[in-house]
């Protein structure tokens, strides 16, 4: 019988028997009855024209013909997997999934971009994780998500990164602060002011401390808070000044709950980066969202 009459079903069953070196274990793994499995292997052997297994004692071993068929099965499985990936790539922009992890600061902007992307591609399933920088770095190291959006790519990790938007950091104070309304306030005037700072390791905190250190100033840390919302409330309550991304204080400035100080050297300009592990093969859906994000109007409002 010509070899072309061998079916993928028979080859799959044979591959399982060869892998487990047992008809019984292969039947269990494939959820087939042993007689059904044995019949399929027998029919494949008849098609090949050679015995595929030989039994020595209670163990079965591949014959030379069986070894050749097993290698072919492996080649076919690999090619089928590549075909699956290629087909997924063709349809992945409309069907697929994407997992994104972002800094808490970006919860005011990226979810909107993601919603627009999903509205354009309703077949895509998206998941979004929001956390601080330390948590994102842990997830990045574990390759938990497809893409990570943060204020600075980690220098100690092998990653691919692209910056795509400005992140303007502004100085905010409670309403009625003595420096509110003054123009071009020198940094030295803030040397004795109490500050509400993000947690150690935060990109915003590092940038702020670097700026003041360059002016010979060590900030007075009145309070350390890991939540942007909590920082805004604390500053509004009069406990100190803070440096925050301008995207996070638009409403509070408009409502007069906070005021922005005109400090020389501000706003501090940073960038947002989209990051993934080096060498990571993005799915079509993830690649499409990355392109969408890179072209999104995500920059901070002019200040």
């Amino acid at each position: 019988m010509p070899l072309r009459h061998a079916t993928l079903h028979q080859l799959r069953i044979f591959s399982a028997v060869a892998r487990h070196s047992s008809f019984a274990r292969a039947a269990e793994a494939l959820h087939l009855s042993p007689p059904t499995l044995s019949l399929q292997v027998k029919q494949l052997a008849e098609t090949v024209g050679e015995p595929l297994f030989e039994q020595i004692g209670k163990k079965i071993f591949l014959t030379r013909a069986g070894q050749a068929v097993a290698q072919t099965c492996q080649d076919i499985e690999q090619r089928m997997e590549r075909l699956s990936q290629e087909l997924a790539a063709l349809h992945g922009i409309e069907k697929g999934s994407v997992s994104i992890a972002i800094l808490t600061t970006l919860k005011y902007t990226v979810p909107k971009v993601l919603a627009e992307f999903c509205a354009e591609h309703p077949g895509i399933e998206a998941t979004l994780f929001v956390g601080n920088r330390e948590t994102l770095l842990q997830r990045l190291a574990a390759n938990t998500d497809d893409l990570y959006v943060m204020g600075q790519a980690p220098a100690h990790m092998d990653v691919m990164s692209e910056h795509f938007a400005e992140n303007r950091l502004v100085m905010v104070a409670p309403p009625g602060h003595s420096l509110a309304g003054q123009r071009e306030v020198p940094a030295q005037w803030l040397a004795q002011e109490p500050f509400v700072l993000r947690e150690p390791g935060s990109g915003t905190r590092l940038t702020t401390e670097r700026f003041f250190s360059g002016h010979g100033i060590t900030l007075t840390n009145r309070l350390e808070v890991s939540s942007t919302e909590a920082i805004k409330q604390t500053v509004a309550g009069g406990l100190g000044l803070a440096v925050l991304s301008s995207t996070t204080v638009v409403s509070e400035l408009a409502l007069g709950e906070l005021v922005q100080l005109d400090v020389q050297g501000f706003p501090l300009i940073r960038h947002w980066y989209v990051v993934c592990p080096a060498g990571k093969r993005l799915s079509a859906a993830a690649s499409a969202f990355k392109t969408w994000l890179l072209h999104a109007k995500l920059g901070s409002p002019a200040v």
Side-chain angles (χ1 to χ4, degrees):
M1 185 181 296
L3 193 57
R4 65 175 179 272
H5 291 297
T7 67
L8 286 175
H9 182 58
Q10 290 173 341
L11 293 174
R12 177 169 173 264
I13 289 174
F14 169 79
S15 180
V17 177
R19 187 167 57 252
H20 290 282
S21 297
S22 166
F23 282 81
R25 287 199 296 271
E28 182 179 355
L30 297 175
H31 304 290
L32 295 173
S33 67
T36 298
L37 182 140
S38 297
L39 178 60
Q40 292 296 320
V41 173
K42 179 181 178 182
Q43 290 176 346
L44 178 62
E46 291 173 351
T47 300
V48 172
E50 295 281 347
L52 302 177
F53 294 99
E54 59 181 355
Q55 185 166 346
I56 301 177
K58 294 183 178 181
K59 295 183 178 180
I60 61 171
F61 298 88
L62 290 171
T63 63
R64 292 186 64 181
Q67 292 172 1
V69 174
Q71 181 60 55
T72 298
C73 288
Q74 184 176 349
D75 294 341
I76 291 173
E77 288 175 358
Q78 291 175 350
R79 186 64 190 94
M80 292 296 287
E81 176 61 25
R82 288 198 298 271
L83 175 61
S84 177
Q85 293 174 357
E86 290 166 5
L87 292 175
L90 290 175
H91 302 287
I93 295 179
E94 301 306 328
K95 294 181 180 179
S97 63
V98 57
S99 172
I100 306 131
I102 67 172
L103 285 179
T104 52
T105 306
L106 284 159
K107 69 180 183 180
Y108 303 92
T109 51
V110 173
K112 181 180 178 181
V113 176
L114 181 59
E116 293 170 348
F117 175 78
C118 290
E120 186 72 17
H121 306 289
I124 288 180
E125 295 182 3
T127 58
L128 180 67
F129 175 85
V130 182
N132 61 24
R133 180 175 175 83
E134 181 181 358
T135 303
L136 258 63
L137 292 180
Q138 292 173 353
R139 294 175 70 92
L140 175 59
N143 192 26
T144 304
D145 310 279
D146 294 314
L147 298 169
Y148 304 81
V149 187
M150 57 184 65
Q152 184 176 337
H156 65 287
M157 299 174 67
D158 189 13
V159 299
M160 299 182 293
S161 67
E162 294 182 64
H163 69 79
F164 61 94
E166 282 190 350
N167 176 23
R168 293 169 173 256
L169 303 181
V170 297
M171 181 81 67
V172 293
H177 191 277
S178 60
L179 296 178
Q182 297 200 37
R183 302 288 296 173
E184 297 188 353
V185 175
Q188 286 74 14
W189 288 17
L190 303 174
Q192 303 304 316
E193 291 283 344
F195 275 79
V196 182
L197 298 174
R198 289 297 300 262
E199 72 281 2
S202 160
T204 299
R205 176 168 177 167
L206 290 173
T207 301
T208 303
E209 290 178 334
R210 191 179 301 120
F211 171 82
F212 282 101
S213 177
H215 289 78
I217 300 170
T218 299
L219 294 180
T220 301
N221 184 358
R222 176 71 175 274
L223 195 63
E224 202 171 89
V225 183
S226 60
S227 162
T228 298
E229 292 299 325
I231 290 176
K232 291 190 292 185
Q233 294 299 319
T234 303
V235 173
L239 291 185
L241 308 181
V243 176
L244 295 170
S245 175
S246 61
T247 60
T248 68
V249 293
V250 174
S251 296
E252 289 78 10
L253 293 177
L255 294 172
E257 296 173 357
L258 295 174
V259 294
Q260 180 176 327
L261 300 185
D262 182 13
V263 179
Q264 292 178 5
F266 276 77
L268 304 178
I269 305 300
R270 300 179 71 228
H271 289 89
W272 295 121
Y273 290 82
V274 58
V275 180
C276 66
K280 183 179 180 68
R281 183 173 180 177
L282 294 176
S283 68
S287 181
F289 177 72
K290 178 182 177 183
T291 300
W292 186 282
L293 184 64
L294 292 174
H295 291 87
K297 303 299 183 181
L298 198 63
S300 300
V303 292

